[in-house]
Amino acid sequence: MATILCYGDSNTHGDIPLVRLESSDRLPYGKRWPDVMAAMLGPEHQVIAEGLGGRTTVHDDPIEGGRRSGIDILPAILMSHKPLDLLLVMLGTNDLKPIFAVTASGIARSLERLVCEARHHLPGLDVGIIAPAPVAPAGCMRDIFMDAEKRQDCLEAELQAVAQRQDCGFLNAGDHVSVSPVDGVHWDKAGHRDFGRAAAQFVQARIVRTR
């Protein structure tokens, strides 16, 4: 049995596109992309979903609070679920918020630090880096992600370069899913289904490669 940990933000958590900021609705179990992936992989694989809305790579969020820095809580999560065969990381979307004032290059460097931190605690851990689907902020998320389109320019290429340097797998979510026009950040049910299927194929190939 292979154990896969999916470490991400609200799109890994399964939050539905927001009509208003106070909403906290989530897709039902089985419809979120880690669940779709698990169903396709079958019972011989264990998929663990660790998603949190607002999670960043390395930044504390002074507005959201709640330990949103991905690197801070990662060691505890890794130790809770070890041994692991594969860590899938899809972070960077929330780093695009103007309050963090970072570039695509800065996001990639932050994610590379996170990969190194994971391997410090679990030496030899195989990691798959997932470039988030590009955002197009709309509705209640427009101001929160103001000008994010400019900051995400070249993010896919920057993350792919990190994957090459660190010998990680690489998957571009934007090749398989688009953000919902409702808020321009989150995915709808069809998007989770499509990406879950693509992620399953990626994981199957990665596990075969490393065994």
Side-chain angles (χ1 to χ4, degrees):
M1 173 181 286
T3 302
I4 302 105
L5 174 64
C6 305
Y7 193 58
D9 51 32
S10 56
N11 279 321
T12 298
H13 188 254
D15 292 5
I16 67 171
L18 300 179
V19 177
R20 60 184 186 279
L21 292 178
E22 296 77 17
S23 301
S24 59
D25 293 333
R26 185 183 186 190
L27 287 172
Y29 180 78
K31 303 299 182 182
R32 308 159 199 159
W33 75 261
D35 302 334
V36 174
M37 181 180 76
M40 287 195 65
L41 291 174
E44 65 272 22
H45 299 299
Q46 180 185 19
V47 175
I48 302 164
E50 281 284 359
L52 174 66
R55 179 175 282 152
T56 68
T57 53
V58 300
H59 307 286
D60 288 317
D61 192 323
I63 297 175
E64 296 291 338
R67 299 298 297 270
R68 295 301 203 260
S69 170
I71 200 167
D72 286 348
I73 199 69
L74 179 62
I77 290 176
L78 293 175
M79 295 301 103
S80 295
H81 297 298
K82 70 175 186 178
L84 296 172
D85 295 280
L86 178 63
L87 170 67
L88 297 181
V89 182
M90 183 167 64
L91 289 172
T93 295
N94 289 295
D95 296 50
L96 295 168
K97 294 175 181 177
I99 60 172
F100 300 120
V102 294
T103 62
S105 175
I107 294 171
R109 290 180 62 196
S110 297
L111 196 135
E112 187 166 14
R113 182 184 165 208
L114 192 148
V115 171
C116 293
E117 180 75 7
R119 287 176 170 163
H120 170 74
H121 293 279
L122 295 180
L125 177 63
D126 191 29
V127 179
I129 293 174
I130 303 174
V135 301
C140 65
M141 304 297 279
R142 189 184 305 276
D143 290 343
I144 294 174
F145 282 86
M146 185 178 295
D147 295 328
E149 297 96 326
K150 298 176 183 177
R151 287 185 293 279
Q152 74 186 352
D153 188 41
C154 298
L155 180 57
E156 175 194 343
E158 293 280 359
L159 291 176
Q160 189 168 19
V162 170
Q164 292 173 344
R165 284 196 299 271
Q166 297 296 332
D167 191 26
C168 297
F170 179 77
L171 178 63
N172 182 32
D175 289 339
H176 307 281
V177 59
S178 298
V179 294
S180 166
V182 173
D183 65 10
V185 174
H186 297 103
W187 306 347
D188 61 19
K189 182 167 64 175
H192 277 265
R193 178 200 63 210
D194 293 344
F195 183 70
R197 292 173 177 172
Q201 294 176 344
F202 170 80
V203 167
Q204 286 173 327
R206 190 72 188 173
I207 290 175
V208 169
R209 172 189 176 275
T210 56
R211 287 188 171 180

